[in-house]
């Protein structure tokens, strides 16, 4: 069964706990317990010694194997309570204060966050003073969040001007908001009156917003399970084939796909589905020499043309 970086990371986090409780565990037993091959387990064990409690080069996991048993030589050192460095504490405090000012945040959540921030300030000592001189605001997205949250609670329709990066254009839409979701960014899931379909809009791409007097009346639709990510292609969506070199293998980690075949040069031939194939033009531009769209042919030609126009514009600035 194919695995991705997220699956492997989750497995290795569980593996650390498993090995801590079972010193000298047999390779075959551990592989069987995690439902993987011994080769996959050894691959995980090759990565774990590069992990530790600090990116500054703090304690690393001293784990090795003789091919039969697995030994962890410093579990007690790594399990020691972590201490935040000054810049880590500053970043955390600034972020916590910024989040506490977000419109739409439940008052109980705000108070809980402020209590946690106060405890962190006490533990951070001098670093807390430095963080007090820094601030972050979310004026644009925060205002949009407040309007969307209000429209949902009052069951009112919204008018928005929305930027679509795939088409590089602003469009005006009336939407019936359904819910706010956070998957990396904050989105509103809504029924779009322009397309007469369910759509998801990223709040930081809303250029303008107004709450309308019309009541919000989205059709009865089943809410999607977003635990596997925001983008969930359907079987009937158009198929796109992308070939990437070794430097573009990350595409298979970030885009849901039907298949990813190994290529002779160390790259991948990735087959995926998307309701809007044109949105992948930006992916092609981002990949540059590390990838290309193979099919459909119209999209491949469109991506090449966009790349040529971008290059011509760049040369014209020289």
């Amino acid at each position: 069964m194919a695995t991705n970086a997220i699956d492997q990371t989750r497995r290795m986090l569980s593996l650390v706990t498993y090995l801590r409780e079972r010193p000298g565990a047999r390779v075959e037993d551990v592989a069987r317990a995690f439902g993987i091959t011994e080769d996959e387990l050894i691959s995980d064990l090759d990565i774990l010694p590069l992990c530790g409690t600090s990116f500054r080069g703090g304690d690393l996991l001293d784990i090795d194997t003789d091919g039969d048993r697995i030994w962890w030589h410093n579990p007690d050192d790594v399990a020691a309570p972590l201490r935040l460095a000054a810049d880590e504490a500053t970043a955390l405090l600034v972020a916590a204060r910024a989040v506490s000012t977000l419109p739409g945040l439940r008052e109980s959540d705000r108070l809980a966050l402020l209590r946690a921030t106060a405890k962190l300030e006490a533990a951070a000592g001098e670093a807390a003073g430095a963080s007090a001189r820094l601030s972050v605001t979310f004026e644009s997205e925060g205002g949009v969040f407040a309007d969307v949250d209000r429209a949902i609670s009052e069951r009112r329709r919204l008018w928005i001007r929305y930027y679509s990066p795939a088409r590089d254009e602003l469009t005006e839409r009336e939407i019936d908001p359904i819910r706010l979701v956070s998957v990396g960014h904050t989105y509103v899931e809504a029924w779009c009156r322009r397309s007469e379909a369910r759509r998801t809009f990223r709040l930081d791409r809303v250029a303008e917003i107004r709450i309308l007097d019309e009541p919000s009346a989205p059709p009865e639709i089943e809410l999607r399970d977003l635990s596997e990510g925001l983008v969930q292609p359907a079987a009937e969506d158009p198929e796109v084939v992308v070939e990437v070199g070794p430097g573009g293998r990350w595409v298979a980690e970030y885009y849901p796909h039907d298949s990813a075949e190994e290529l002779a040069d160390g790259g991948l031939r990735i087959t995926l589905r998307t309701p809007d194939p044109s949105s992948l033009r930006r992916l092609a531009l981002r990949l540059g020499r590390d990838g290309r769209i193979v099919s459909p042919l119209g999209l491949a030609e469109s991506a090449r043309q966009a790349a040529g126009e971008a290059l011509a514009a760049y040369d014209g600035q020289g």
Side-chain angles (χ1 to χ4, degrees):
M1 181 177 64
T3 186
N4 58 33
I6 295 176
D7 293 331
Q8 186 179 23
T9 300
R10 290 171 176 161
R11 185 174 67 234
M12 288 195 295
L13 289 172
S14 299
L15 186 58
V16 168
T17 301
Y18 186 93
L19 294 177
R20 178 177 173 79
E21 298 173 352
R22 297 167 178 81
R26 291 187 176 277
V27 170
E28 60 179 333
D29 294 337
V30 178
R32 187 184 307 109
F34 282 82
I36 57 177
T37 66
E38 293 185 19
D39 286 342
E40 288 175 317
L41 175 59
I42 296 300
S43 177
D44 289 350
L45 295 177
D46 288 339
I47 296 174
L48 283 177
L50 303 177
C51 305
T53 58
S54 172
F55 62 85
R56 296 180 179 81
D59 293 324
L60 299 179
L61 304 180
D62 186 3
I63 296 176
D64 62 31
T65 177
D66 58 9
D68 179 39
R69 292 181 177 274
I70 305 170
W71 305 98
W72 185 356
H73 303 291
N74 65 339
D76 294 333
D77 293 339
V78 175
L82 299 179
R83 296 183 180 278
L84 289 174
D87 58 339
E88 293 172 328
T90 298
L92 191 56
L93 284 167
V94 169
R97 293 194 188 101
V99 171
S100 69
T101 65
L102 280 176
L105 188 65
R106 294 184 181 88
E107 189 59 25
S108 59
D109 293 339
R110 191 190 312 278
L111 292 175
L113 180 58
L114 291 175
R115 288 194 296 270
T117 303
K119 293 178 181 179
L120 181 58
E121 287 175 341
E126 294 181 1
S131 70
R133 296 191 291 272
L134 302 172
S135 64
V136 175
T137 59
F138 304 98
E139 293 181 359
S140 176
E141 185 172 328
V144 173
F145 184 103
D147 284 341
V148 173
D149 190 51
R150 178 185 166 193
I152 292 173
S153 63
E154 296 180 3
R155 299 182 181 277
R156 291 167 63 183
R157 186 171 297 176
L158 287 167
W159 172 89
I160 62 172
R161 291 181 68 233
Y162 187 74
Y163 173 68
S164 174
R167 300 179 179 85
D168 192 25
E169 65 178 3
L170 281 167
T171 58
E172 296 184 8
R173 304 167 183 261
E174 288 189 9
I175 63 173
D176 293 338
I178 298 171
R179 60 172 173 169
L180 285 159
V181 294
S182 180
V183 185
H185 295 276
T186 304
Y187 301 80
V188 55
E189 188 173 11
W191 184 260
C192 178
R193 293 294 169 179
R194 181 185 182 197
S195 58
E196 287 300 315
R198 172 168 40 192
R199 293 289 185 264
T200 305
F201 302 96
R202 221 170 92 173
L203 296 196
D204 61 353
R205 291 177 180 163
V206 175
E208 191 177 350
I209 185 171
R210 290 200 303 268
I211 301 177
L212 302 177
D213 293 332
E214 289 89 340
S216 173
E220 291 292 333
I221 53 178
E222 183 178 354
L223 294 180
R224 297 180 298 164
D225 178 8
L226 301 178
S227 61
E228 296 300 322
L230 192 67
V231 180
Q232 299 174 14
E236 62 271 17
D237 288 340
E239 182 180 274
V240 178
V241 178
V242 181
E243 288 188 354
V244 300
R249 293 179 66 95
W250 58 268
V251 174
E253 306 292 344
Y254 288 91
Y255 285 81
H257 55 276
D258 293 339
S259 64
E261 304 171 15
E262 293 285 346
L263 298 177
D265 65 353
L268 294 171
R269 181 183 177 90
I270 303 168
T271 301
L272 53 85
R273 296 181 183 276
T274 173
D276 183 14
S278 63
S279 65
L280 294 180
R281 282 199 301 265
R282 291 176 65 87
L283 171 63
L285 291 174
R286 180 180 177 185
L287 284 168
R289 296 180 178 178
D290 283 326
R292 66 188 183 96
I293 295 174
V294 177
S295 68
L297 294 178
L299 179 59
E301 179 57 35
S302 174
R304 283 193 291 270
Q305 182 179 348
E309 292 173 353
L311 183 61
Y314 178 80
D315 290 340
Q317 294 177 356

